[in-house]
Amino acid sequence: MQHIDGVTPGTQNRILGMSTLAFTACFAVWTIFSILGVQIKTDLGLSDTEFGLLVGTPILTGSLSRIFLGIWTDQYGGRIVYVATMVLAAIATFLLSYAETYQMMLLAALGVGLAGGSFAVGIAYVSKWYPKEKQGTALGIFGAGNVGAAVTKFVAPFVLVAFGWEAVAQIWAVALVAIAVLFWFTTEDDPELVKRRARGEKAPGSLLQLEPLRNQQVWRFSLYYFFVFGAFVALALWLPRYLIGVYGMDLKTAGMLAAAYSIPASLFRAYGGYLSDRYGARAVMYWTLGVSLIALFMLSYPNTDYVIHGISGDIAFSTRMGVVPFVVTIFVLGFFMSLGKAAVYKHIPVYYPNHVGSVGGLVGLIGGLGGFVLPIAFGVMNDLVGVWTSCFMLLFAIVAVALVWMHVSIRQMERAAVGKELAELPEFPELEGIHDAAKHGRGTGALVTDWRPEEPEFWETTGRRIAQRNLWISIPCLLLAFSVWMVWSVVVAKLPAIGFKYTTDQLFWLAALPGLSGATLRIFYSFMVPIFGGRLWTTLSTASLLIPAFGIGYAVQDPNTPYLIFLVLALLCGLGGGNFASSMANISFFFPKSQKGNALALNAGLGNAGVSVMQFTVPLVITAGVFGTMGGEPQTASATTQLWLQNAGFIWVPFLILATVFAWIGMNDLASAKASFREQAVIFQRKHNWIMCWLYTGTFGSFIGYSAGFPLLAKTQFPEVDSLQYVFLGPLIGALSRAATGWVSDKFGGGRVTFWTFVLMIAAVAGVLYFLGIKDQPGAFWGFFAMFMVLFFATGVGNASTFQMIPIIMRSEIGRLMPGLAAAERLRHAEKESAAIIGFTSAIAAYGAFFIPKAYGSSIALTGAPMAALWAFLVFYVTCAALTWFVYTRPGGLLHDIERGTASTPTASAPAE
C-alpha cells in the first residue's frame, strides 16, 4: 500500500532530484576502476584476468550488498541508509589511494563497491513517494544516475594524467561525502515510514521481506537485469581496454568514446520509464532484447579475412568493423539497454508493492553480479580464446536465452488464460475453413491418444509392447549421447601427439567444457518432451549429435585449426549430456509406477555405459583407417606410429544416423504426457532438494567428472604408460556398481550406504594422493589406477543410494508439511516432488563433468601438479559425509529410525541416472 497523502509535487521532485544526484555520484565512484584500473594494470603488470578481477571486485560488493540494503531501507528508511552507504564507500575510496600492492587494492575495492549498493536503497526510497501509474517514469529518472559512469570516463582521465590516479580516488571520495551531507539536509523520511512510526508499528522482519523471492518470476526479472544492467556495467568497465587493444587508442580518447556508450545507456533510462508507463514494460523488453540480439551479433563478428578459390583465381575479401560503426552500434546497444533497465524495474513496485526493497535488491544483486562476473569472463575469454570480440559473443548468448525464456513464459501465461479456445483452433490458420476435428484430428500414426498404463488389462494387451519398444530404442540413443558427450576425454589426450601446441590448462578446458554445457542443457531439456513430444525430441536431439561428431572428425586433421573452433566443438558435445534429462522424462511417461524404476534404471544405466563404450572404442579405431580414403589421411604421432584421430568423431556417425531413423520410425508421442513447471517449482522451497544436490554432486558429479578427466590426468601424470587402453574400466565399473548394488540401499537404507560411500571415497582420494606423491617409483601407476577404480566403484554405489533416499525423504517431509491431506494425496505430492528433485539434482550434479577436469587443469597451471584439486575433492567428500550423518543418519536424523525399522514409511524405487 502506498502512503502518499499530502505529498506535494515539489516534495516529490526534490526527493527524486537529490536521490538521482546521489546515485550519480555513487555510480561515478562505483565505476572508478574503469579508468584507474588501466593505469594500475600498467603499473603492476597485471594480466587480463587479474585486471578483470580488479575492476569487477567493487561490482561484487555492490551487488551482494543490494539485497540487505534494500531490506534495511524498507525497515529503517531510505534516508539514513543512503547516507550511511555513501559515507562508508567514500572512506574506502579515499583509502584506496594509499594501497600499494595488488592485494591491498582488491581489499579497498571491496569497500568501494558499497557505492553500487546504493541503487537498491534509492529504488525502494523513491518508489514510496509516487503512485503506481508514475513509478515507471520516476524510477527511470532515478536510474539515469548510471550516467555517473560517463562522468568518470570524461573527467577522470584528465585528472589522472595531471595529478596521478591517487588524486582521482581522493577527489571522488571527498565529493561523495559532500553530496551525502547535502542529501541529509535536503531530504526527509518517506511517508510510509513516517506513518508506520506514528502507528507504533515495528518494521517487517527480514524473513518476511524475503518471502517473494521464492517466485520464479523474480528470478526471470533478475536474468533480464543481469543483461541490461550487469552487461552495461561490464562494458562500461571493459570498453576502454577494448578500444585501446583493438583500435590502438590512448586512454583519454578511449575513455571519451566509451562514454558514447555509457551516456545513452544512462540518460535514456528515464525515457524507458516513460515508455513502460505508457506502452507496458513487456513491449519495451521485447524491443530491448530483440534489438540487442541484432547489435550483439554485429559486434560479435571478429575481423576476418576470406579467400574463396574461384574459377579464375582466388577472391579475397575482409570483414571488419571500423571505429565509427563500432561506436554507432555501441550507442544503439546502450540506448536499448537503458530502456530495458527501466522496464525491468517498472514491474517490481506493481507486482510487489510491499517488498520493493527485497525484490528490487535481489534483482539488483543479480544484475550487479553480471557487472562482476562478466569483466572477469571477458578477460578469461581473451586469455583462452584470443579473439577480442569474444566478450560480445558471450553477451549474445545471454540475450538469446533471456529472450526465449521471456517469450516462452508469456506464451504459457497466454495459453493458461485462453487454453480452451486455443485447443479448438486448427494446427494451421489456413486450414480454419475446412478444419474438422472429427475428420482430420490432430494426431499421426506415431501419436498415442489413449494411454492407460496403470490399468492391468490395457498394459498387458497394448501398453507393454509400446513401452518396451520405446525403451529399447531410447537406450542406444542415450548410450550414443553419453559417448559423444565424453569423447573429448580421449581426444584431448592425443592432440599434443599429432602437433597441436596447446598448454595443459587449455587441454583440460576442452575436457571440461562438454560437462559445463551438458549440465546446463539438462535443465532446459527436462521440459522439452511435453512441448515437442518424445518421438520428435529424441529424433532431433540424437540427430544434433552429428554436428560435433562431424566437427571433431574434420577439425583434428589440421594442426592449424584455431583453438576457438575446438572450444565450440567441446561445447557442442554437451548436447549429448543434455539428452539424459529429456530421455529419462520421456521414458517415465510410458511405464506404470510398479515398473517405472526398473525401466528408468535400464535406460540410465545402459546409457551411462556409453562412457566406457567410448573409452574402449576410440583408442582402437584411431589406430586404423576404418573409413579408408573417405576418412582422411592419418596423422604422424611418432617415427613408427600413425593415428587417424578423426575416427574419434566419425565412428559415431553411422550409428547416430541409424538411431535417428529408428527413433523417428519406431517411437511414439503420448498425448497425455504433460508436465507443469509451476507445480514442480515448489522443490526450490525444500531444503532437502539443496542438500541432495550437494550429496548427488559428490556421487554422480564425481562419476561423470572423473570419467571426463581421468584419461588426461593419467596421461599427464604417467606419460610413460599407455593408459588409454585401461581408462574405460573406470566408467564401466561405476556403471555396473550402480546397477548391481541398489539392493544394498534397499536392505540397509540409502542414508547409511551414502555415508559409508563417502568414507570410502575419502580413503580412495587419499590413496590417489599417496601414489601421485611416489609416481616416479615402480608400480606407482597401478596403485594410482587401483585407487581410481575404488573411486569409480564408490560413485556407482553412491549414485544408487542417494536416489534411493529422495522418495523416502519426501514422503516423510510431505507428511510433516501437509498433515491435512489424505494419504493418497500426500503420496501423490511426494512422488511429484521426488521426481522433480531427482531431475534437478541430476542437472546440478552433471556440472561435475566441468569442474573436476577444470580443477585438474587449474591446479596443474598454478602449482605444477594436480594434488591441490584432489585435496579439494577430499575436503568436499568430508563435508558430504558430515552432512549425511548430521541430517539423515545420526540418532534423531530424518532417516535414522526409518532405516532401522523403528519407524515406517512406504518404500519406493527411484530411477537411476
Side-chain angles (χ1 to χ4, degrees):
M1 177 67 67
Q2 299 292 322
H3 300 280
I4 54 175
D5 297 337
V7 176
T8 65
T11 302
Q12 290 176 324
N13 293 335
R14 174 165 46 85
I15 296 297
L16 178 58
M18 289 308 305
S19 297
T20 304
L21 175 64
F23 183 51
T24 302
C26 286
F27 215 90
V29 169
W30 197 32
T31 57
I32 195 171
F33 279 98
S34 63
I35 300 300
L36 302 192
V38 176
Q39 184 62 47
I40 293 171
K41 180 181 187 295
T42 301
D43 293 346
L44 298 183
L46 305 179
S47 68
D48 275 340
T49 302
E50 290 173 320
F51 171 75
L53 180 61
L54 179 63
V55 300
T57 295
I59 312 305
L60 176 64
T61 310
S63 303
L64 296 179
S65 63
R66 285 184 172 190
I67 189 167
F68 304 106
L69 291 174
I71 292 173
W72 291 337
T73 300
D74 283 341
Q75 291 179 324
Y76 307 114
R79 184 167 174 249
I80 182 65
V81 177
Y82 215 152
V83 170
T85 301
M86 285 189 281
V87 171
L88 291 174
I91 293 172
T93 306
F94 192 85
L95 293 176
L96 171 66
S97 63
Y98 293 95
E100 297 178 350
T101 66
Y102 180 64
Q103 291 75 18
M104 291 175 63
M105 289 178 182
L106 285 177
L107 184 62
L110 288 171
V112 172
L114 287 174
S118 63
F119 175 74
V121 182
I123 284 290
Y125 181 56
V126 170
S127 68
K128 290 176 169 50
W129 291 91
Y130 287 87
K132 183 186 303 183
E133 61 274 11
K134 294 184 178 181
Q135 285 174 336
T137 301
L139 295 180
I141 293 172
F142 168 77
N146 290 165
V147 77
V151 172
T152 292
K153 288 185 179 65
F154 269 125
V155 181
F158 298 96
V159 178
L160 185 150
V161 171
F163 303 105
W165 69 263
E166 295 87 349
V168 177
Q170 294 171 357
I171 293 171
W172 264 235
V174 171
L176 187 59
V177 170
I179 290 176
V181 173
L182 179 64
F183 181 86
W184 177 258
F185 287 106
T186 56
T187 59
E188 56 197 79
D189 290 329
D190 65 81
E192 182 178 331
L193 178 68
V194 171
K195 292 192 175 185
R196 191 175 70 217
R197 287 175 175 170
R199 294 192 301 266
E201 293 180 3
K202 296 182 64 176
S206 297
L207 292 178
L208 289 177
Q209 292 286 353
L210 293 172
E211 181 71 17
L213 305 190
R214 70 174 61 188
N215 296 334
Q216 176 201 356
Q217 182 187 54
V218 174
W219 297 93
R220 180 157 51 86
F221 294 162
S222 298
L223 176 62
Y224 304 161
Y225 207 63
F226 183 86
F227 168 68
V228 295
F229 178 76
F232 157 71
V233 173
L235 288 176
L237 296 170
W238 188 257
L239 278 176
R241 168 82 177 114
Y242 183 91
L243 291 167
I244 292 170
V246 175
Y247 297 107
M249 298 179 180
D250 59 61
L251 180 59
K252 290 186 291 183
T253 305
M256 287 187 289
L257 283 179
Y261 160 78
S262 299
I263 290 175
S266 304
L267 294 180
F268 287 106
R269 183 167 183 163
Y271 185 55
Y274 167 76
L275 292 177
S276 298
D277 281 339
R278 182 168 182 178
Y279 299 108
R282 178 186 299 177
V284 175
M285 283 307 304
Y286 264 118
W287 275 101
T288 293
L289 297 179
V291 174
S292 296
L293 200 69
I294 297 171
L296 287 168
F297 177 79
M298 297 168 60
L299 293 167
S300 297
Y301 209 86
N303 294 343
T304 308
D305 296 321
Y306 293 92
V307 177
I308 300 175
H309 301 295
I311 297 174
S312 302
D314 291 345
I315 304 171
F317 63 94
S318 300
T319 60
R320 59 191 67 244
M321 183 175 281
V323 175
V324 173
F326 177 83
V327 173
V328 170
T329 308
I330 280 291
F331 184 96
V332 171
L333 179 65
F335 172 77
F336 278 94
M337 291 172 80
S338 69
L339 303 185
K341 284 184 281 189
V344 172
Y345 269 88
K346 166 65 177 177
H347 291 85
I348 295 172
V350 174
Y351 284 99
Y352 306 100
N354 298 321
H355 300 85
V356 175
S358 58
V359 175
L362 175 72
V363 173
L365 182 155
I366 301 298
L369 283 179
F372 168 71
V373 173
L374 289 174
I376 299 175
F378 295 165
V380 171
M381 292 180 74
N382 267 12
D383 289 340
L384 290 175
V385 181
V387 177
W388 276 108
T389 58
S390 59
C391 57
F392 298 112
M393 297 176 189
L394 176 61
L395 295 181
F396 177 86
I398 293 171
V399 172
V401 171
L403 182 59
V404 170
W405 191 7
M406 180 179 75
H407 183 68
V408 169
S409 298
I410 291 171
R411 291 293 292 164
Q412 286 178 340
M413 288 188 289
E414 290 173 345
R415 287 182 180 275
V418 292
K420 183 178 180 181
E421 290 79 358
L422 286 175
E424 294 175 352
L425 292 176
E427 288 187 78
F428 301 102
E430 59 268 25
L431 299 180
E432 184 173 2
I434 62 172
H435 179 69
D436 185 342
K439 293 181 179 179
H440 302 289
R442 285 176 171 264
T444 66
L447 178 64
V448 179
T449 56
D450 181 21
W451 189 248
R452 294 168 281 122
E454 300 297 338
E455 295 183 12
E457 182 178 353
F458 176 86
W459 176 250
E460 293 299 330
T461 58
T462 305
R464 182 191 299 276
R465 173 176 52 83
I466 295 174
Q468 291 291 340
R469 184 179 68 246
N470 280 269
L471 172 63
W472 290 106
I473 294 176
S474 174
I475 286 172
C477 291
L478 188 56
L479 184 145
L480 290 169
F482 268 88
S483 297
V484 173
W485 188 25
M486 291 290 105
V487 73
W488 274 115
S489 64
V490 173
V491 172
V492 294
K494 291 295 186 181
L495 288 178
I498 60 173
F500 288 88
K501 307 299 183 182
Y502 297 146
T503 66
T504 300
D505 190 51
Q506 286 178 312
L507 293 175
F508 273 109
W509 263 106
L510 291 178
L513 283 178
L516 178 64
S517 59
T520 304
L521 287 171
R522 282 187 176 197
I523 299 173
F524 300 99
Y525 274 41
S526 299
F527 307 103
M528 293 298 103
V529 169
I531 296 173
F532 293 96
R535 168 177 173 258
L536 176 59
W537 186 252
T538 303
T539 302
L540 292 176
S541 60
T542 303
S544 71
L545 302 178
L546 290 167
I547 300 173
F550 274 117
I552 292 169
Y554 290 119
V556 298
Q557 296 184 56
D558 184 1
N560 295 317
T561 300
Y563 184 65
L564 175 62
I565 299 298
F566 281 107
L567 288 174
V568 172
L569 288 172
L571 287 169
L572 287 173
C573 282
L575 293 169
N579 281 12
F580 173 83
S582 57
S583 178
M584 294 291 279
N586 182 44
I587 293 302
S588 69
F589 289 117
F590 280 94
F591 287 83
K593 295 177 181 179
S594 60
Q595 299 187 34
K596 197 183 297 287
N598 182 58
L600 293 176
L602 285 171
N603 192 54
L606 295 179
N608 284 170
V611 180
S612 56
V613 168
M614 179 277 301
Q615 292 182 346
F616 175 79
T617 303
V618 170
L620 294 178
V621 298
I622 64 176
T623 60
V626 176
F627 298 98
T629 56
M630 294 177 59
E633 297 297 321
Q635 303 95 35
T636 301
S638 67
T640 60
T641 305
Q642 288 186 322
L643 295 177
W644 285 261
L645 194 56
Q646 61 266 34
N647 290 348
F650 289 154
I651 193 64
W652 310 111
V653 170
F655 299 104
L656 287 170
I657 293 174
L658 284 174
T660 299
V661 171
F662 275 108
W664 180 252
I665 295 175
M667 297 189 76
N668 298 93
D669 294 322
L670 298 179
S672 60
K674 298 178 181 179
S676 167
F677 178 80
R678 185 182 299 275
E679 288 183 350
Q680 298 177 71
V682 69
I683 67 170
F684 300 122
Q685 304 171 33
R686 308 297 191 218
K687 69 175 183 180
H688 293 286
N689 173 55
W690 303 106
I691 294 173
M692 293 311 300
C693 282
W694 189 265
L695 300 184
Y696 195 58
T697 299
T699 57
F700 180 75
S702 296
F703 167 78
I704 201 66
Y706 290 143
S707 297
F710 183 45
L712 187 55
L713 179 67
K715 185 69 176 177
T716 57
Q717 298 306 300
F718 298 93
E720 71 283 358
V721 180
D722 186 11
S723 56
L724 290 185
Q725 61 182 311
Y726 307 115
V727 293
F728 77 94
L729 291 172
L732 180 62
I733 289 173
L736 293 178
S737 67
R738 180 171 195 166
T741 60
W743 64 272
V744 178
S745 297
D746 287 336
K747 183 174 182 179
F748 298 104
R752 285 193 285 182
V753 173
T754 299
F755 173 79
W756 288 108
T757 293
F758 284 124
V759 172
L760 180 60
M761 292 173 71
I762 293 168
V765 173
V768 172
L769 285 165
Y770 171 77
F771 286 107
L772 283 176
I774 61 168
K775 65 180 182 179
D776 295 329
Q777 296 185 21
F781 170 77
W782 295 110
F784 164 86
F785 185 81
M787 290 298 99
F788 257 105
M789 295 306 102
V790 173
L791 264 178
F792 275 111
F793 173 82
T795 61
V797 176
N799 288 338
S801 64
T802 46
F803 266 11
Q804 192 270 353
M805 294 167 62
I806 292 173
I808 298 176
I809 291 170
M810 292 316 300
R811 291 184 185 189
S812 176
E813 280 291 280
I814 293 299
R816 180 182 66 84
L817 295 170
M818 303 177 180
L821 294 179
E825 189 66 13
R826 287 202 302 269
L827 181 60
R828 188 185 72 82
H829 273 276
E831 290 179 345
K832 178 189 69 176
E833 293 191 25
S834 296
I837 291 173
I838 285 170
F840 185 72
T841 54
S842 74
I844 298 301
Y847 282 105
F850 167 76
F851 285 110
I852 288 181
K854 186 62 188 76
Y856 288 149
S858 298
S859 178
I860 292 172
L862 294 173
T863 67
M867 271 72 107
L870 289 163
W871 274 110
F873 301 157
L874 188 149
V875 172
F876 174 63
Y877 297 145
V878 169
T879 66
C880 290
L883 191 61
T884 304
W885 178 84
F886 182 79
V887 178
Y888 298 118
T889 64
R890 66 178 175 86
L894 185 64
L895 300 179
H896 180 273
D897 293 340
I898 295 172
E899 294 186 346
R900 286 160 179 78
T902 56
S904 62
T905 191
T907 59
S909 60
E913 170 144 346

